[in-house]
Amino acid sequence: MNFANESPYGQAVYDTLLKEDPAGELLPSLATEWSYDDTNTVLTLTLRDDVKFTDGTAFNADAAAQNLTRFRDGTSPNKSFLASLGSATAIDETTVELTLTQPDPALLHYLTQNAGMQGSPAAFGAADAKTNPVGSGPYILDTDKTVVGTSYEFTANPDYWDKDSVHYDNLSLKVYADTTSMLNAVKGGQINGAKLTDNTNNAEVEAAGYTLNPFELDWTGLILFDRAGTLNPALSDVKVRQALNYAIDGPAMLTAVGEGLGTPTTQIFPTSSAAYDESLDDRYAYDPDEAKKLLAEAGYADGLTLDMPSTSLGNPAVFTLIEQQLKDVGITVNYTDTGTNFIADILAPKYGVTWMQLQQDNDWALINFELTPNASFNPTKYQDPTVDALVATIGTSTGDEADAALKELNAYIVEQAWFAPWYRVESNYATDANTNVETQVGNAYPYLWNFTPAS
Protein backbone atom coordinates (compact mmCIF):
# COMPACT_ATOMS: atom_id res chain seq x y z
CA MET A 1 0.00 0.00 0.00
CA ASN A 2 1.24 3.49 -0.90
CA PHE A 3 0.52 6.68 1.04
CA ALA A 4 0.95 10.37 0.00
CA ASN A 5 -1.61 11.03 -2.78
CA GLU A 6 -3.19 7.63 -2.12
CA SER A 7 -3.65 8.20 1.62
CA PRO A 8 -7.47 8.71 1.52
CA TYR A 9 -8.02 5.19 0.16
CA GLY A 10 -6.31 3.67 3.17
CA GLN A 11 -7.70 6.14 5.68
CA ALA A 12 -11.26 5.42 4.56
CA VAL A 13 -11.03 1.76 5.62
CA TYR A 14 -8.19 1.51 8.12
CA ASP A 15 -7.55 3.23 11.42
CA THR A 16 -3.95 3.99 12.33
CA LEU A 17 -2.36 3.47 15.72
CA LEU A 18 -1.71 7.21 15.97
CA LYS A 19 -2.94 10.28 14.09
CA GLU A 20 -1.59 13.74 13.34
CA ASP A 21 -3.36 17.08 13.25
CA PRO A 22 -2.88 19.32 10.19
CA ALA A 23 0.23 20.86 11.75
CA GLY A 24 1.79 17.42 12.28
CA GLU A 25 1.27 17.15 16.04
CA LEU A 26 0.69 13.61 17.32
CA LEU A 27 -2.83 12.63 18.43
CA PRO A 28 -4.28 9.43 19.94
CA SER A 29 -6.14 7.03 17.69
CA LEU A 30 -6.26 3.26 18.24
CA ALA A 31 -3.41 3.87 20.68
CA THR A 32 -4.37 6.19 23.51
CA GLU A 33 -0.97 6.42 25.21
CA TRP A 34 2.61 5.81 24.12
CA SER A 35 6.04 5.99 25.73
CA TYR A 36 9.65 4.98 25.14
CA ASP A 37 12.10 3.46 27.59
CA ASP A 38 15.34 5.27 28.50
CA THR A 39 17.18 3.83 25.48
CA ASN A 40 14.48 4.90 22.99
CA THR A 41 14.47 1.35 21.65
CA VAL A 42 11.34 0.00 23.36
CA LEU A 43 8.03 1.70 22.55
CA THR A 44 4.97 0.76 24.60
CA LEU A 45 1.50 1.52 23.22
CA THR A 46 -1.73 1.39 25.23
CA LEU A 47 -4.65 0.51 22.96
CA ARG A 48 -8.39 1.12 22.95
CA ASP A 49 -10.52 -1.80 24.16
CA ASP A 50 -13.77 -0.86 22.38
CA VAL A 51 -12.89 -1.28 18.69
CA LYS A 52 -13.95 -4.00 16.27
CA PHE A 53 -13.07 -4.55 12.66
CA THR A 54 -16.01 -4.48 10.26
CA ASP A 55 -15.99 -8.28 10.05
CA GLY A 56 -16.66 -8.45 13.80
CA THR A 57 -13.10 -9.36 14.82
CA ALA A 58 -11.93 -7.53 17.93
CA PHE A 59 -9.01 -5.14 17.66
CA ASN A 60 -6.43 -5.89 20.36
CA ALA A 61 -2.70 -5.96 20.99
CA ASP A 62 -2.23 -9.26 19.17
CA ALA A 63 -3.90 -7.79 16.06
CA ALA A 64 -1.68 -4.72 16.28
CA ALA A 65 1.47 -6.84 16.61
CA GLN A 66 0.46 -8.94 13.60
CA ASN A 67 -0.23 -5.86 11.47
CA LEU A 68 3.08 -4.24 12.32
CA THR A 69 5.13 -7.35 11.63
CA ARG A 70 3.21 -7.99 8.41
CA PHE A 71 3.90 -4.47 7.15
CA ARG A 72 7.59 -4.73 8.00
CA ASP A 73 7.91 -8.02 6.14
CA GLY A 74 5.54 -7.13 3.29
CA THR A 75 5.86 -5.55 -0.12
CA SER A 76 4.71 -1.98 0.50
CA PRO A 77 6.90 0.66 -1.15
CA ASN A 78 7.07 2.16 2.36
CA LYS A 79 8.10 -1.01 4.20
CA SER A 80 11.32 0.76 5.18
CA PHE A 81 9.18 2.80 7.61
CA LEU A 82 9.42 -0.19 9.95
CA ALA A 83 12.97 -1.23 9.10
CA SER A 84 14.00 -0.58 12.71
CA LEU A 85 11.27 -2.83 14.13
CA GLY A 86 12.86 -5.89 15.69
CA SER A 87 9.68 -7.33 17.21
CA ALA A 88 6.12 -6.42 18.15
CA THR A 89 4.73 -8.26 21.16
CA ALA A 90 1.29 -8.29 22.77
CA ILE A 91 1.89 -7.87 26.50
CA ASP A 92 -1.82 -8.12 27.27
CA GLU A 93 -5.06 -7.34 25.42
CA THR A 94 -4.46 -3.59 25.36
CA THR A 95 -0.66 -3.29 25.50
CA VAL A 96 1.72 -3.84 22.61
CA GLU A 97 5.48 -3.47 22.93
CA LEU A 98 7.69 -2.58 19.98
CA THR A 99 11.38 -3.44 20.35
CA LEU A 100 13.64 -1.62 17.90
CA THR A 101 17.03 -2.61 16.56
CA GLN A 102 18.06 1.05 16.89
CA PRO A 103 16.36 4.31 17.89
CA ASP A 104 14.05 5.70 15.21
CA PRO A 105 12.83 9.26 15.87
CA ALA A 106 10.39 9.01 12.94
CA LEU A 107 8.60 5.87 14.15
CA LEU A 108 5.69 7.64 15.86
CA HIS A 109 5.16 9.65 12.68
CA TYR A 110 5.21 6.48 10.58
CA LEU A 111 2.53 4.97 12.83
CA THR A 112 0.21 7.77 11.68
CA GLN A 113 0.67 6.64 8.08
CA ASN A 114 0.34 3.31 6.28
CA ALA A 115 2.84 1.61 8.61
CA GLY A 116 0.34 2.11 11.43
CA MET A 117 -2.80 1.03 9.56
CA GLN A 118 -4.67 -1.87 11.11
CA GLY A 119 -6.52 -4.56 9.15
CA SER A 120 -8.49 -7.51 10.45
CA PRO A 121 -6.17 -10.51 10.95
CA ALA A 122 -9.12 -12.73 9.96
CA ALA A 123 -8.90 -11.21 6.46
CA PHE A 124 -5.15 -11.75 6.01
CA GLY A 125 -4.58 -13.96 2.99
CA ALA A 126 -8.21 -13.87 1.86
CA ALA A 127 -8.72 -14.40 -1.86
CA ASP A 128 -10.41 -10.99 -2.19
CA ALA A 129 -8.08 -9.13 0.20
CA LYS A 130 -7.01 -6.63 -2.47
CA THR A 131 -10.55 -5.74 -3.54
CA ASN A 132 -12.46 -6.14 -0.27
CA PRO A 133 -10.37 -4.55 2.50
CA VAL A 134 -11.42 -5.09 6.12
CA GLY A 135 -10.45 -2.51 8.70
CA SER A 136 -11.98 -0.67 11.63
CA GLY A 137 -12.02 2.69 9.88
CA PRO A 138 -14.74 5.27 9.26
CA TYR A 139 -15.94 3.78 5.96
CA ILE A 140 -16.65 0.43 4.32
CA LEU A 141 -15.84 -0.13 0.66
CA ASP A 142 -18.99 -0.79 -1.40
CA THR A 143 -17.64 -3.46 -3.72
CA ASP A 144 -20.85 -3.56 -5.80
CA LYS A 145 -20.63 0.11 -6.76
CA THR A 146 -16.83 0.29 -7.03
CA VAL A 147 -15.18 0.14 -10.45
CA VAL A 148 -11.55 -0.80 -9.80
CA GLY A 149 -9.18 1.75 -11.31
CA THR A 150 -11.97 4.25 -11.97
CA SER A 151 -14.15 4.95 -8.93
CA TYR A 152 -14.07 3.67 -5.34
CA GLU A 153 -17.33 4.03 -3.42
CA PHE A 154 -17.60 3.93 0.37
CA THR A 155 -20.40 4.05 2.93
CA ALA A 156 -20.04 5.22 6.53
CA ASN A 157 -19.23 2.51 9.06
CA PRO A 158 -22.36 2.46 11.31
CA ASP A 159 -20.39 1.11 14.27
CA TYR A 160 -17.41 3.43 14.04
CA TRP A 161 -15.94 4.31 17.42
CA ASP A 162 -15.00 7.92 16.53
CA LYS A 163 -18.18 9.28 14.96
CA ASP A 164 -17.19 12.93 15.51
CA SER A 165 -14.45 12.56 12.90
CA VAL A 166 -16.85 11.31 10.19
CA HIS A 167 -18.37 14.21 8.28
CA TYR A 168 -20.02 12.43 5.33
CA ASP A 169 -22.37 9.48 4.93
CA ASN A 170 -20.81 8.49 1.63
CA LEU A 171 -17.40 8.89 0.08
CA SER A 172 -16.49 8.62 -3.60
CA LEU A 173 -12.83 8.60 -4.68
CA LYS A 174 -12.41 9.10 -8.43
CA VAL A 175 -9.33 8.14 -10.44
CA TYR A 176 -8.31 10.38 -13.34
CA ALA A 177 -5.79 9.14 -15.87
CA ASP A 178 -4.51 12.60 -16.80
CA THR A 179 -4.66 16.28 -15.92
CA THR A 180 -7.09 17.09 -18.74
CA SER A 181 -9.77 14.66 -17.59
CA MET A 182 -9.51 15.90 -14.01
CA LEU A 183 -9.70 19.53 -15.13
CA ASN A 184 -12.81 18.73 -17.14
CA ALA A 185 -14.37 17.15 -14.03
CA VAL A 186 -13.60 20.32 -12.09
CA LYS A 187 -15.08 22.56 -14.80
CA GLY A 188 -18.17 20.38 -14.85
CA GLY A 189 -18.56 20.60 -11.07
CA GLN A 190 -18.42 16.80 -10.86
CA ILE A 191 -16.08 16.63 -7.85
CA ASN A 192 -15.85 18.37 -4.49
CA GLY A 193 -12.08 18.40 -4.29
CA ALA A 194 -8.95 17.64 -6.30
CA LYS A 195 -5.20 17.63 -5.74
CA LEU A 196 -3.84 19.67 -8.65
CA THR A 197 -0.81 18.15 -10.33
CA ASP A 198 0.75 21.58 -10.94
CA ASN A 199 -0.22 25.25 -11.05
CA THR A 200 -0.72 25.51 -14.79
CA ASN A 201 -4.51 25.49 -14.63
CA ASN A 202 -5.06 27.41 -11.40
CA ALA A 203 -6.92 30.27 -13.11
CA GLU A 204 -9.32 27.88 -14.84
CA VAL A 205 -9.95 26.03 -11.58
CA GLU A 206 -10.76 29.25 -9.74
CA ALA A 207 -12.96 30.42 -12.62
CA ALA A 208 -14.97 27.23 -12.15
CA GLY A 209 -15.80 28.36 -8.60
CA TYR A 210 -13.20 26.36 -6.70
CA THR A 211 -10.99 27.59 -3.85
CA LEU A 212 -7.26 26.90 -3.95
CA ASN A 213 -5.82 25.62 -0.67
CA PRO A 214 -2.03 26.09 -0.98
CA PHE A 215 0.75 24.24 0.81
CA GLU A 216 4.48 23.77 0.36
CA LEU A 217 5.61 20.16 0.40
CA ASP A 218 8.54 19.91 -2.03
CA TRP A 219 11.77 21.70 -2.79
CA THR A 220 13.27 21.86 -6.26
CA GLY A 221 16.76 22.56 -7.57
CA LEU A 222 19.97 20.61 -8.12
CA ILE A 223 21.22 17.60 -6.21
CA LEU A 224 25.02 17.50 -6.15
CA PHE A 225 25.44 13.75 -5.73
CA ASP A 226 29.12 13.41 -6.56
CA ARG A 227 30.63 15.09 -3.48
CA ALA A 228 33.58 12.70 -3.56
CA GLY A 229 34.36 13.51 -7.21
CA THR A 230 34.09 9.92 -8.41
CA LEU A 231 32.24 10.80 -11.62
CA ASN A 232 33.59 14.33 -11.98
CA PRO A 233 36.60 15.33 -9.83
CA ALA A 234 35.55 18.99 -9.85
CA LEU A 235 32.52 18.23 -7.71
CA SER A 236 34.69 17.10 -4.80
CA ASP A 237 35.67 20.75 -4.26
CA VAL A 238 33.18 22.59 -2.04
CA LYS A 239 33.97 25.80 -3.91
CA VAL A 240 32.69 24.28 -7.14
CA ARG A 241 29.52 23.11 -5.41
CA GLN A 242 29.06 26.55 -3.87
CA ALA A 243 29.59 28.10 -7.30
CA LEU A 244 26.73 26.01 -8.64
CA ASN A 245 24.53 27.49 -5.92
CA TYR A 246 25.51 31.07 -6.78
CA ALA A 247 25.18 30.47 -10.53
CA ILE A 248 21.44 29.69 -10.58
CA ASP A 249 18.92 32.49 -10.00
CA GLY A 250 16.40 30.73 -7.73
CA PRO A 251 13.81 33.54 -7.64
CA ALA A 252 13.99 33.82 -11.44
CA MET A 253 13.47 30.06 -11.69
CA LEU A 254 10.46 30.38 -9.42
CA THR A 255 8.99 33.03 -11.73
CA ALA A 256 9.83 31.32 -15.00
CA VAL A 257 9.13 27.70 -14.09
CA GLY A 258 7.09 27.79 -10.89
CA GLU A 259 4.82 30.64 -12.03
CA GLY A 260 5.83 32.58 -8.92
CA LEU A 261 4.06 30.13 -6.62
CA GLY A 262 6.51 29.12 -3.93
CA THR A 263 9.27 30.53 -1.72
CA PRO A 264 12.94 30.95 -2.68
CA THR A 265 15.27 28.90 -0.47
CA THR A 266 18.72 27.31 -0.38
CA GLN A 267 17.91 24.71 2.29
CA ILE A 268 16.09 21.38 2.00
CA PHE A 269 14.53 21.28 5.47
CA PRO A 270 10.94 22.62 5.66
CA THR A 271 9.70 25.53 7.74
CA SER A 272 8.00 23.03 10.09
CA SER A 273 11.38 21.51 11.02
CA ALA A 274 13.48 22.34 14.07
CA ALA A 275 16.38 22.41 11.59
CA TYR A 276 14.89 25.29 9.62
CA ASP A 277 16.82 28.56 9.70
CA GLU A 278 15.23 31.51 7.89
CA SER A 279 18.64 33.04 7.24
CA LEU A 280 19.55 30.04 5.08
CA ASP A 281 16.77 30.78 2.62
CA ASP A 282 19.11 33.23 0.88
CA ARG A 283 22.56 31.87 1.84
CA TYR A 284 23.42 31.70 -1.87
CA ALA A 285 21.74 34.76 -3.33
CA TYR A 286 22.22 34.80 -7.11
CA ASP A 287 25.75 36.08 -7.80
CA PRO A 288 27.39 34.91 -11.05
CA ASP A 289 30.54 36.94 -10.30
CA GLU A 290 30.97 35.08 -7.00
CA ALA A 291 30.41 31.81 -8.86
CA LYS A 292 33.18 32.67 -11.34
CA LYS A 293 35.50 33.70 -8.49
CA LEU A 294 34.97 30.40 -6.64
CA LEU A 295 35.49 28.38 -9.83
CA ALA A 296 38.77 30.21 -10.43
CA GLU A 297 39.90 29.58 -6.85
CA ALA A 298 39.13 25.88 -7.36
CA GLY A 299 41.28 25.81 -10.51
CA TYR A 300 38.52 26.10 -13.09
CA ALA A 301 38.97 29.66 -14.32
CA ASP A 302 38.67 28.32 -17.85
CA GLY A 303 35.43 26.54 -17.01
CA LEU A 304 34.36 22.94 -16.65
CA THR A 305 31.87 20.50 -18.14
CA LEU A 306 29.03 18.72 -16.35
CA ASP A 307 27.14 15.70 -17.66
CA MET A 308 23.51 15.94 -16.59
CA PRO A 309 20.29 14.03 -17.33
CA SER A 310 17.17 15.52 -18.88
CA THR A 311 13.72 14.05 -19.44
CA SER A 312 10.59 14.91 -21.41
CA LEU A 313 8.66 14.14 -18.22
CA GLY A 314 9.94 17.41 -16.77
CA ASN A 315 9.36 21.01 -17.82
CA PRO A 316 11.75 21.60 -20.75
CA ALA A 317 12.24 25.20 -19.62
CA VAL A 318 14.01 23.92 -16.50
CA PHE A 319 16.77 22.24 -18.47
CA THR A 320 17.14 25.18 -20.86
CA LEU A 321 17.49 27.70 -18.03
CA ILE A 322 19.99 25.52 -16.15
CA GLU A 323 22.13 25.28 -19.27
CA GLN A 324 21.96 29.03 -19.94
CA GLN A 325 22.71 30.16 -16.40
CA LEU A 326 25.59 27.73 -15.90
CA LYS A 327 27.04 28.75 -19.27
CA ASP A 328 27.10 32.36 -18.03
CA VAL A 329 29.67 31.41 -15.36
CA GLY A 330 31.73 29.13 -17.60
CA ILE A 331 30.11 25.75 -16.95
CA THR A 332 29.12 23.70 -19.99
CA VAL A 333 26.24 21.25 -19.57
CA ASN A 334 26.07 18.08 -21.67
CA TYR A 335 22.56 16.65 -21.42
CA THR A 336 21.49 13.06 -21.99
CA ASP A 337 17.75 12.55 -22.52
CA THR A 338 16.91 9.70 -20.15
CA GLY A 339 13.24 9.49 -21.14
CA THR A 340 11.26 7.39 -18.69
CA ASN A 341 14.50 6.11 -17.07
CA PHE A 342 15.23 9.45 -15.39
CA ILE A 343 14.87 8.29 -11.77
CA ALA A 344 16.53 4.93 -12.40
CA ASP A 345 19.50 6.57 -14.11
CA ILE A 346 20.12 9.23 -11.47
CA LEU A 347 19.93 6.63 -8.71
CA ALA A 348 22.23 4.20 -10.58
CA PRO A 349 24.09 6.67 -10.28
CA LYS A 350 25.06 7.75 -13.77
CA TYR A 351 25.33 11.48 -13.11
CA GLY A 352 27.07 13.65 -10.53
CA VAL A 353 24.51 16.48 -10.75
CA THR A 354 20.82 16.45 -11.55
CA TRP A 355 17.73 18.60 -11.40
CA MET A 356 15.09 17.15 -9.07
CA GLN A 357 11.99 17.92 -7.05
CA LEU A 358 11.83 16.13 -3.69
CA GLN A 359 9.44 16.15 -0.75
CA GLN A 360 10.34 17.81 2.54
CA ASP A 361 9.69 14.97 4.96
CA ASN A 362 9.62 14.62 8.71
CA ASP A 363 13.19 15.31 9.92
CA TRP A 364 14.33 11.73 10.48
CA ALA A 365 12.66 10.57 7.29
CA LEU A 366 14.30 13.36 5.31
CA ILE A 367 17.70 12.53 6.79
CA ASN A 368 17.36 8.88 5.85
CA PHE A 369 15.98 9.70 2.40
CA GLU A 370 18.58 12.25 1.33
CA LEU A 371 21.60 12.46 3.66
CA THR A 372 22.78 9.17 5.18
CA PRO A 373 25.11 6.78 3.29
CA ASN A 374 22.24 4.40 2.57
CA ALA A 375 19.69 7.10 1.70
CA SER A 376 17.80 6.60 -1.56
CA PHE A 377 18.89 10.02 -2.82
CA ASN A 378 22.51 9.58 -1.84
CA PRO A 379 23.26 6.93 -4.48
CA THR A 380 27.01 7.60 -4.40
CA LYS A 381 26.92 6.54 -0.71
CA TYR A 382 28.80 9.70 0.18
CA GLN A 383 29.76 9.82 3.84
CA ASP A 384 30.94 12.73 5.97
CA PRO A 385 32.09 12.23 9.60
CA THR A 386 30.51 15.53 10.72
CA VAL A 387 27.16 14.51 9.26
CA ASP A 388 27.50 11.01 10.73
CA ALA A 389 28.09 12.42 14.22
CA LEU A 390 25.18 14.87 14.02
CA VAL A 391 22.81 12.19 12.70
CA ALA A 392 23.85 9.89 15.55
CA THR A 393 23.03 12.64 18.06
CA ILE A 394 19.67 13.31 16.45
CA GLY A 395 18.84 9.60 16.45
CA THR A 396 19.60 9.04 20.12
CA SER A 397 18.51 12.28 21.76
CA THR A 398 15.36 14.33 22.20
CA GLY A 399 14.30 17.89 22.94
CA ASP A 400 16.80 20.75 22.84
CA GLU A 401 19.78 18.49 22.17
CA ALA A 402 18.17 16.95 19.09
CA ASP A 403 16.93 20.34 17.86
CA ALA A 404 20.38 21.88 18.20
CA ALA A 405 21.95 18.99 16.25
CA LEU A 406 19.30 19.38 13.54
CA LYS A 407 20.09 23.07 13.12
CA GLU A 408 23.81 22.32 13.00
CA LEU A 409 23.25 19.57 10.43
CA ASN A 410 21.19 21.84 8.20
CA ALA A 411 23.74 24.65 8.39
CA TYR A 412 26.57 22.22 7.62
CA ILE A 413 25.06 20.67 4.50
CA VAL A 414 24.09 24.12 3.22
CA GLU A 415 27.66 25.38 3.74
CA GLN A 416 29.10 22.22 2.19
CA ALA A 417 26.66 22.66 -0.71
CA TRP A 418 25.36 19.11 -0.90
CA PHE A 419 22.41 20.54 -2.81
CA ALA A 420 21.56 23.70 -4.76
CA PRO A 421 17.87 24.32 -3.94
CA TRP A 422 16.01 27.14 -5.69
CA TYR A 423 12.61 27.29 -4.03
CA ARG A 424 9.94 25.49 -2.06
CA VAL A 425 7.17 24.50 -4.45
CA GLU A 426 3.61 25.64 -3.79
CA SER A 427 1.05 22.93 -4.43
CA ASN A 428 -2.72 23.31 -4.25
CA TYR A 429 -5.72 21.29 -3.24
CA ALA A 430 -8.88 22.69 -4.85
CA THR A 431 -12.29 22.55 -3.13
CA ASP A 432 -15.73 23.52 -4.37
CA ALA A 433 -18.11 25.92 -2.61
CA ASN A 434 -19.61 23.06 -0.58
CA THR A 435 -16.34 21.84 0.89
CA ASN A 436 -13.77 23.04 3.38
CA VAL A 437 -10.40 21.38 3.97
CA GLU A 438 -7.23 21.81 6.02
CA THR A 439 -4.07 20.77 4.22
CA GLN A 440 -1.65 18.43 5.96
CA VAL A 441 1.96 19.27 6.80
CA GLY A 442 4.25 16.69 5.19
CA ASN A 443 1.66 14.96 3.01
CA ALA A 444 0.61 15.54 -0.58
CA TYR A 445 -3.07 14.97 0.18
CA PRO A 446 -5.20 16.36 3.04
CA TYR A 447 -6.13 13.78 5.65
CA LEU A 448 -9.64 12.43 5.24
CA TRP A 449 -11.07 13.67 8.53
CA ASN A 450 -10.02 17.23 7.72
CA PHE A 451 -12.61 17.52 4.95
CA THR A 452 -15.85 19.11 6.20
CA PRO A 453 -19.05 20.42 4.59
CA ALA A 454 -18.97 24.20 4.12
CA SER A 455 -22.38 24.52 5.77
Side-chain angles (χ1 to χ4, degrees):
M1 179 186 295
N2 289 307
F3 202 67
N5 278 310
E6 298 179 20
S7 56
Y9 295 90
Q11 290 174 338
V13 173
Y14 301 110
D15 285 315
T16 46
L17 291 171
L18 298 172
K19 293 172 75 169
E20 284 181 342
D21 69 11
E25 295 297 319
L26 287 171
L27 300 171
S29 183
L30 292 179
T32 58
E33 297 177 17
W34 54 94
S35 63
Y36 275 105
D37 71 345
D38 291 340
T39 68
N40 289 321
T41 59
V42 179
L43 174 64
T44 302
L45 301 168
T46 301
L47 309 176
R48 299 184 67 93
D49 62 0
D50 58 350
V51 176
K52 287 188 176 182
F53 296 103
T54 54
D55 64 358
T57 303
F59 168 73
N60 55 29
D62 182 62
Q66 289 188 59
N67 274 279
L68 290 165
T69 304
R70 191 165 182 262
F71 187 91
R72 179 199 63 189
D73 298 339
T75 59
S76 168
N78 301 130
K79 63 179 294 184
S80 63
F81 285 0
L82 295 186
S84 63
L85 179 64
S87 63
T89 305
I91 303 302
D92 55 38
E93 285 292 296
T94 59
T95 308
V96 62
E97 185 177 272
L98 281 59
T99 301
L100 310 183
T101 56
Q102 60 185 13
D104 185 348
L107 181 60
L108 294 175
H109 169 69
Y110 293 148
L111 296 182
T112 72
Q113 298 191 341
N114 50 353
M117 287 181 176
Q118 301 293 296
S120 171
F124 292 170
D128 62 349
K130 291 185 178 181
T131 56
N132 187 23
V134 182
S136 62
Y139 293 93
I140 300 171
L141 181 67
D142 187 332
T143 56
D144 290 335
K145 294 182 180 179
T146 291
V147 179
V148 175
T150 301
S151 177
Y152 295 82
E153 308 297 325
F154 302 83
T155 58
N157 178 356
D159 301 317
Y160 192 52
W161 59 273
D162 186 16
K163 291 187 182 297
D164 288 344
S165 69
V166 183
H167 308 298
Y168 299 93
D169 293 333
N170 298 286
L171 173 67
S172 179
L173 299 178
K174 308 291 187 182
V175 180
Y176 294 96
D178 52 59
T179 300
T180 300
S181 59
M182 186 173 72
L183 181 61
N184 287 336
V186 167
K187 290 180 176 180
Q190 299 168 17
I191 52 180
N192 299 109
K195 166 65 171 64
L196 304 182
T197 55
D198 56 41
N199 294 312
T200 306
N201 301 305
N202 285 2
E204 292 180 80
V205 171
E206 289 184 299
Y210 284 71
T211 297
L212 299 180
N213 300 276
F215 60 97
E216 292 182 345
L217 178 65
D218 300 342
W219 68 269
T220 191
L222 301 180
I223 304 179
L224 312 183
F225 285 135
D226 193 19
R227 300 157 203 141
T230 303
L231 299 171
N232 187 328
L235 293 170
S236 66
D237 193 318
V238 66
K239 291 183 177 181
V240 172
R241 301 197 301 270
Q242 289 176 335
L244 287 167
N245 274 267
Y246 282 117
I248 302 290
D249 188 342
M253 284 290 197
L254 173 58
T255 300
V257 180
E259 302 186 33
L261 300 175
T263 306
T265 189
T266 55
Q267 61 189 312
I268 66 171
F269 282 91
T271 57
S272 58
S273 169
Y276 177 75
D277 181 345
E278 186 177 0
S279 69
L280 296 178
D281 275 340
D282 60 359
R283 165 61 181 84
Y284 295 104
Y286 177 55
D287 191 340
D289 289 336
E290 181 66 15
K292 292 176 184 177
K293 175 175 173 285
L294 287 168
L295 288 172
E297 291 175 358
Y300 298 97
D302 295 329
L304 62 91
T305 298
L306 294 178
D307 293 325
M308 293 178 62
S310 64
T311 174
S312 58
L313 299 176
N315 187 332
V318 171
F319 303 108
T320 300
L321 289 169
I322 292 171
E323 183 177 20
Q324 290 174 348
Q325 294 192 28
L326 292 185
K327 183 179 180 181
D328 288 344
V329 302
I331 298 175
T332 300
V333 175
N334 286 334
Y335 280 124
T336 298
D337 186 348
T338 59
T340 58
N341 291 323
F342 181 72
I343 298 297
D345 283 356
I346 67 175
L347 296 184
K350 294 183 179 180
Y351 303 93
V353 180
T354 184
W355 163 82
M356 194 59 199
Q357 180 171 317
L358 288 178
Q359 69 268 27
Q360 295 182 303
D361 288 319
N362 163 283
D363 290 334
W364 192 246
L366 185 153
I367 287 168
N368 286 284
F369 188 60
E370 301 179 41
L371 304 182
T372 59
N374 293 318
S376 299
F377 275 83
N378 182 10
T380 62
K381 308 298 183 185
Y382 183 74
Q383 196 159 5
D384 180 300
T386 300
V387 171
D388 290 347
L390 289 168
V391 169
T393 298
I394 294 163
T396 56
S397 61
T398 57
D400 292 344
E401 184 180 2
D403 290 350
L406 279 163
K407 283 191 179 300
E408 189 175 347
L409 174 65
N410 188 19
Y412 183 78
I413 64 170
V414 169
E415 197 62 29
Q416 289 295 307
W418 283 29
F419 306 86
W422 306 329
Y423 57 89
R424 293 188 294 273
V425 181
E426 179 180 300
S427 297
N428 278 282
Y429 191 91
T431 50
D432 70 356
N434 298 316
T435 310
N436 291 330
V437 73
E438 291 185 84
T439 59
Q440 184 69 33
V441 165
N443 199 59
Y445 205 97
Y447 283 174
L448 197 56
W449 44 87
N450 292 325
F451 288 87
T452 55
S455 59

